[in-house]
Amino acid sequence: MNSRQARKAVSRLKLAYNSLIDEGKIEADPDQLRLVSRLDKLLVEIGRKRLSKKSSALGWLFNKSNSKQENPRGLYIWGDVGRGKSMLMDMFFDALPNKRKRRAHFNDFMQDAQERIHAHRKAYKAGEVKEEDPIPVVGRALAAEASVLCFDEFTVTDIADAMILGRLFKTLFEERVIIVATSNVVPQNLYANGLNRNVFLPFIDQLESNVDVFELGARTDYRLEKLNKAPVFLTPLNEETSAAMQAVWVDLTGKQRGKPEPLALKGRTFEIPEIASGVARLGFNALCKEPRSAADYLALARRVHTVFIIGVPVMERSDQNAAKRFILLIDTLYDNHIRAVISAEAEPEGLYIATSGTEAFEFKRTISRLHEMQSVEYIGQ
């Protein structure tokens, strides 16, 4: 990438942010503008790194030095929910010129790493590989796949993850991978009160040695502002309702469509057809007519802050399995304080018309929760 291309990448990122302002989807915010500038700078540095790498590869031809340029420092963006961290990181990711790049929810990334480590140990026991220690091998493989890693919701709660992070990221940084991450906590508060946290602490020092820490302290939660103004339970099911749902989706995500994303569960995946900016959109059939468990709904709740549920029908006694799953889904979203935007055939009171059976009794709780989840108090908490 030459200097003109680098400037073009910068303009693309700033243009994307300014377009959201011009379209009335966000308001200009001083802290967000500072972060856009910092991400612009990182784009230029990554472009120079790519150009330097190409020049170094041809150094023998042009008698140029092939000494390694200092690796650009990554970025750890932290702040309260709804401040625009994921939105701005996604804009940065889209503007990256690199083909080898990866954007992942941090928990999904770590599950992938743990599965690779387990597979390597199994292969070593079978005599299929020679290197006993799996962590450097996995780290090099991950680095080979992506020179820039973007993590959403960087958090550490699992002791298994905490125990390998230091050594895994040591390899990533040695392989000159650039890390950009969003989090709700400052690095010093990662894995707070975790078991054997003293073993984890060197990782924090290692992280801060390779990334700049940026606090995004925007003045308001834009997501809550938009949800407070928007209808979040729409009925009946018709073209007008579909258009209203799409308008709320665009307001929250800034995108017409999301991207599919598999959520990793033990031994299987839960395919989410659309995720964008921490918002998921799924049809009722995919959520409640297909075989789903509490683990599916919990994985979804841990991944996003808002769920769009499209096309909830009126259910009869013959639909009791779907009704059971819908009850469980709403309970899980409610317990994890996930916001829901729902299109339905009827108001909550009319969604389950059977008068006998356990589901009829339990659905009364669902009706109450559906009403509460529409309240300003619930959305604003």
Side-chain angles (χ1 to χ4, degrees):
M1 173 184 281
N2 58 34
S3 59
R4 179 176 296 177
Q5 289 173 318
R7 287 195 299 272
K8 184 177 180 181
V10 171
S11 299
R12 179 182 173 188
L13 182 58
K14 288 187 175 179
L15 180 62
Y17 183 78
N18 289 333
S19 294
L20 293 177
I21 297 171
D22 293 341
E23 293 167 12
K25 295 174 181 175
I26 63 172
E27 296 178 7
D29 182 270
D31 268 28
Q32 288 186 350
L33 286 167
R34 284 198 308 113
L35 179 54
V36 168
S37 295
R38 179 61 185 86
L39 291 169
D40 279 344
K41 179 183 176 184
L42 183 54
L43 276 176
V44 172
E45 291 170 348
I46 290 172
R48 287 173 179 164
K49 175 187 174 183
R50 295 176 75 241
L51 183 61
S52 174
K53 187 174 181 180
K54 290 180 182 179
S55 298
S56 178
L58 295 174
W60 64 273
L61 180 61
F62 298 107
N63 292 321
K64 293 181 180 179
S65 170
N66 62 359
S67 60
K68 285 189 175 182
Q69 184 184 29
E70 184 177 350
N71 207 43
R73 290 176 62 82
L75 202 58
Y76 181 101
I77 308 159
W78 74 280
D80 288 339
V81 297
R83 269 47 182 179
K85 301 184 297 294
S86 297
M87 174 190 73
L88 295 177
M89 185 181 73
D90 285 346
M91 288 164 53
F92 166 80
F93 183 82
D94 290 341
L96 275 171
N98 305 55
K99 292 182 179 179
R100 293 190 304 114
K101 61 181 180 177
R102 179 178 178 184
R103 190 250 192 237
H105 189 271
F106 188 67
N107 286 342
D108 294 339
F109 174 82
M110 289 307 300
Q111 184 160 350
D112 177 28
Q114 293 282 11
E115 289 173 355
R116 295 184 190 215
I117 289 169
H118 175 74
H120 184 90
R121 285 173 175 153
K122 186 176 179 181
Y124 177 77
K125 288 181 179 179
E128 297 169 0
V129 296
K130 294 182 179 180
E131 193 166 348
E132 181 178 5
D133 188 353
I135 295 178
V137 176
V138 170
R140 291 193 295 269
L142 291 167
E145 294 169 7
S147 60
V148 182
L149 283 171
C150 292
F151 296 126
D152 197 23
E153 297 189 25
F154 198 111
T155 184
V156 185
T157 57
D158 189 306
I159 187 171
D161 290 345
M163 293 305 100
I164 69 166
L165 268 175
R167 296 182 58 225
L168 180 64
F169 271 66
K170 180 177 184 292
T171 301
L172 292 176
F173 290 134
E174 286 175 348
E175 295 295 317
R176 300 170 64 78
V177 174
I178 299 166
I179 304 294
V180 177
T182 71
S183 180
N184 293 335
V185 299
V186 68
Q188 291 296 329
N189 288 340
L190 287 169
Y191 198 50
N193 304 314
L195 189 64
N196 295 329
R197 189 170 187 262
N198 61 308
V199 180
F200 175 79
L201 292 178
F203 165 73
I204 296 176
D205 294 336
Q206 181 185 76
L207 180 66
E208 291 182 334
S209 295
N210 288 275
V211 302
D212 291 332
V213 178
F214 187 105
E215 180 182 4
L216 183 58
R219 66 184 184 277
T220 188
D221 186 334
Y222 298 102
R223 185 178 70 228
L224 299 187
E225 280 188 351
K226 292 183 180 298
L227 273 182
N228 279 332
K229 297 175 183 177
V232 295
F233 192 98
L234 295 96
T235 188
L237 298 177
N238 54 31
E239 291 183 3
E240 184 179 347
T241 296
S242 296
M245 290 286 283
Q246 176 66 10
V248 179
W249 168 272
V250 172
D251 269 350
L252 289 182
T253 66
K255 302 177 185 295
Q256 291 293 323
R257 306 282 304 178
K259 294 181 179 180
E261 182 176 318
L263 301 184
L265 301 168
K266 291 185 178 179
R268 60 189 178 88
T269 58
F270 178 14
E271 297 287 340
I272 308 300
E274 288 186 82
I275 287 184
S277 302
V279 184
R281 180 159 58 179
L282 306 93
F284 174 84
N285 289 352
L287 279 167
C288 300
K289 286 200 171 181
E290 295 182 10
R292 299 287 173 217
S293 68
D296 296 67
Y297 301 142
L298 186 57
L300 178 62
R302 288 174 173 170
R303 172 64 184 88
V304 298
H305 56 72
T306 303
V307 176
F308 277 57
I309 305 172
I310 309 297
V312 181
V314 171
M315 291 167 275
E316 302 178 4
R317 183 62 188 268
S318 59
D319 302 309
Q320 61 180 339
N321 288 333
K324 283 180 181 178
R325 295 187 188 107
F326 185 69
I327 291 167
L328 179 58
L329 169 64
I330 297 303
D331 282 347
T332 304
L333 297 181
Y334 181 88
D335 291 341
N336 289 273
H337 205 88
I338 303 302
R339 296 160 184 87
V341 182
I342 301 172
S343 64
E345 191 175 356
E347 296 291 345
E349 291 82 359
L351 286 178
Y352 192 64
I353 60 176
T355 57
S356 61
T358 304
E359 295 76 30
F361 174 77
E362 291 184 343
F363 211 88
K364 294 179 180 179
R365 181 180 70 251
T366 301
I367 293 170
S368 175
R369 289 186 166 181
L370 285 172
H371 280 295
E372 184 179 346
M373 292 167 76
Q374 298 178 52
S375 69
V376 173
E377 290 77 15
Y378 181 90
I379 294 172
Q381 286 180 4

